[in-house]
DNA sequence: TTTATCTGTCCTATAAAAGATACAGATTTT
DNA sequence: AAAATCTGTATCTTTTATAGGACAGATAAA
């Protein structure tokens, strides 16, 4: 009786929306192609036409499809996907070379005790103090990655909170005399949690690229643990492989990986066209407690 | 009046489930740790206890948590995440070396006309005939990847449909005298569509790792276009990076990438324990037409 | 023992998502 | 011109996720 609802979003409709959106952006459904008819979609996805309709409504309001009564639904042109970044190992290294404006927003900064997992991965004593920071990287003003980093306290104190907002962490670490020697990366995928979704300006439940990287110095001790989440529409890993060895062993090596997917200029326009309000900004307020609540 | 419902899944409950699941698998919540109490979780996430309960129910049926009345809810041991595969370039190459049983299930096989996007990526004439095959790879009987490959027809005829179900495509291509020279990979993330979800035995809307690979022969013509979708809980990309160059240039190269995340033997047990029915098997029936339908 | 804090059940109420259906208006096809 | 096939709309019903309680039994702490 006290409080009523919060948000509550459609479910099947929303999923279908995300799905179709993916197919369009990924080029799976070619530009200007005709989508299956509403009844057809309804049947294929085993939902009612009403639901299909809701999904299409959303797509239409994003400007991604065009609906012609009596004729059908068509993909609007210029949805070429994968607009932005790429690279394998050095991540953003050459972004700057390309003259794109990147930025960092520091979201959280604190000291915590290492969880068992963290300690193990960093090869530290469990319970050791770590400096934790959460940052969001922007490209041309648009967020594309959400970074949670853990650095041993003794190392972390060598730079200030402000430094973090301006300088890449690895550079900060090197300034303090540490030498990164090797690193390990694991790439996977996850769904966007509410916090991350808000920070990256995507919907909850969207697919995100995830990367976990642990950097070690020559002694073998871990000096940085990074958990990164990327918007796949703005960032993806890109690599060129060249064949090495003889025929028997099908073996490839990563060739130069600086091939960037060139930016799609249509994107600015597209993003402008699309209304993106329905996300409650809750970036910093991690508990999510609504002050207006009793 | 004909047909009634399909499935309809909770929303907040499901989200919470995914969230907690993530936290557990990622080690954010340590093994055997006590979760916050149900009322606490309810308050933190601003949902009712009923909802929390549903999420926990699901976790419990996955065998991930243990509930002790009067005491609390605890994380079951051995949830070390990222159980299965890994590697950067050669993907499955050393799986066999490790003695794990892999299998392939051929789901579809046909000839189609190249879509504009496909033609462009393969550097072919638009509209050229392509052989399309959809396969699902299994490891120890469990599906972990969904592969859609397109090969120019003239090349595709050199092997049979049956070959596909037993031999890696690249090997088939090489047998027919082609030499793969370079390849390009893009790694991203997507949501599972109904088809893929069914084939990979995940829920619709789950996060998947996606990889697009185009293989070219020395002449520059594309000989294989692969669109792969991976279950992130069973497969992830793994790479070791070593520092090269001098201090100024923070540059890394992919070192030997054969480091596999060793398999977690608990997994068999876990998967066995978990009931996995709620997915309508529709693997081959691509249209989704239900035969029981009028 | 008493008290506080858990989980396990059961119930009711409400809001809203999803389904089912019918029909009008636009196109395209035959 | 007629038929088939679209999208656009509107109404009505069913289903169900969620909220908000109340209460019993188990467990741990005081």
């Amino acid at each position: 009786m006290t409080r009523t609802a919060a948000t509550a979003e459609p479910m099947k409709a929303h999923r279908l929306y995300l799905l179709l959106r993916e197919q369009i952006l990924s080029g799976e459904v070619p530009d200007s192609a005709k989508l299956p008819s509403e009844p057809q979609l309804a049947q294929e996805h085993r939902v009612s036409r009403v639901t299909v309709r809701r999904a299409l409504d959303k797509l239409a309001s994003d400007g991604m499809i065009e609906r012609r009564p009596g004729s059908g639904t068509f993909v609007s042109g210029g949805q070429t996907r994968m607009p932005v970044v790429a690279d394998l190992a050095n991540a953003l290294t050459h972004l700057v070379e390309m003259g794109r404006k990147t930025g960092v927003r520091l979201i959280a900064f604190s000291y915590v005790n290492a969880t068992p997992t963290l300690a193990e991965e960093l090869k530290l004593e469990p319970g050791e103090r770590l400096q934790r920071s959460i940052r969001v990287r922007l490209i041309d003003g648009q967020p594309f990655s959400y970074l949670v980093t853990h650095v041993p306290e003794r190392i972390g104190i060598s730079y200030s909170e402000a430094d973090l907002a301006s300088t890449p962490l690895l550079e900060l670490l090197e300034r303090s005399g540490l030498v990164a020697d090797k690193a390990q990366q694991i790439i996977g995928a996850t769904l966007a949690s509410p916090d991350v979704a808000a920070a990256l300006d995507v919907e909850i439940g969207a697919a995100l690229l995830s990367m976990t990287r642990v950097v070690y110095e020559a002694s073998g001790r871990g000096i940085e643990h990074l958990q990164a989440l990327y918007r796949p529409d703005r960032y993806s890993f890109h690599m060129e492989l060249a064949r090495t060895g003889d025929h028997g062993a099908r073996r490839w090596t990563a060739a130069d990986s600086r091939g960037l997917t060139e930016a799609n200029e249509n994107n600015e326009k597209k993003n402008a066209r699309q209304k993106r309000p329905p996300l409650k900004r809750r970036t910093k307020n991690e508990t999510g407690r609504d002050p207006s609540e009793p």
Side-chain angles (χ1 to χ4, degrees), chain A residues 64-87:
Chain A
M64 300 187 58
I65 59 172
E66 199 179 326
R67 309 167 95 176
R68 291 205 270 279
S71 180
T73 306
F74 302 82
V75 178
S76 311
Q79 306 288 3
T80 1
R81 173 53 121 150
M82 279 307 141
V84 188
V85 216
D87 175 323

Side-chain angles (χ1 to χ4, degrees), chain A residues 160-238:
Chain A
S160 76
E161 198 170 328
D163 289 336
L164 261 183
S166 60
T167 319
L169 223 182
L170 274 183
E171 197 172 318
L172 290 175
L173 294 180
E174 304 226 324
R175 277 197 205 155
S176 63
L178 288 167
V179 181
D181 178 52
K182 43 180 194 155
Q184 230 179 60
Q185 289 190 355
I186 298 180
I187 298 179
T190 342
L191 296 175
S193 68
D195 292 4
V196 178
L200 289 183
D201 200 10
V202 295
E203 304 190 59
I204 299 176
L208 297 179
L209 242 188
S210 93
M211 178 185 85
T212 305
R213 175 168 65 196
V214 187
V215 181
Y216 302 93
E217 59 175 343
S219 75
R221 285 189 310 182
I223 56 179
E224 183 205 20
H225 184 283
L226 166 66
Q227 169 63 242
L229 297 174
Y230 302 98
R231 280 184 59 154
D233 58 334
R234 299 203 175 139
Y235 188 89
S236 60
F237 291 94
H238 197 215

Side-chain angles (χ1 to χ4, degrees), chain A residues 19-31 33 75 81:
Chain A
L19 245 155
L20 293 174
R21 187 167 180 275
E22 263 303 308
Q23 296 187 350
I24 293 173
L25 289 176
S26 71
E28 199 173 319
V29 181
D31 261 21
V75 178
R81 173 53 121 150

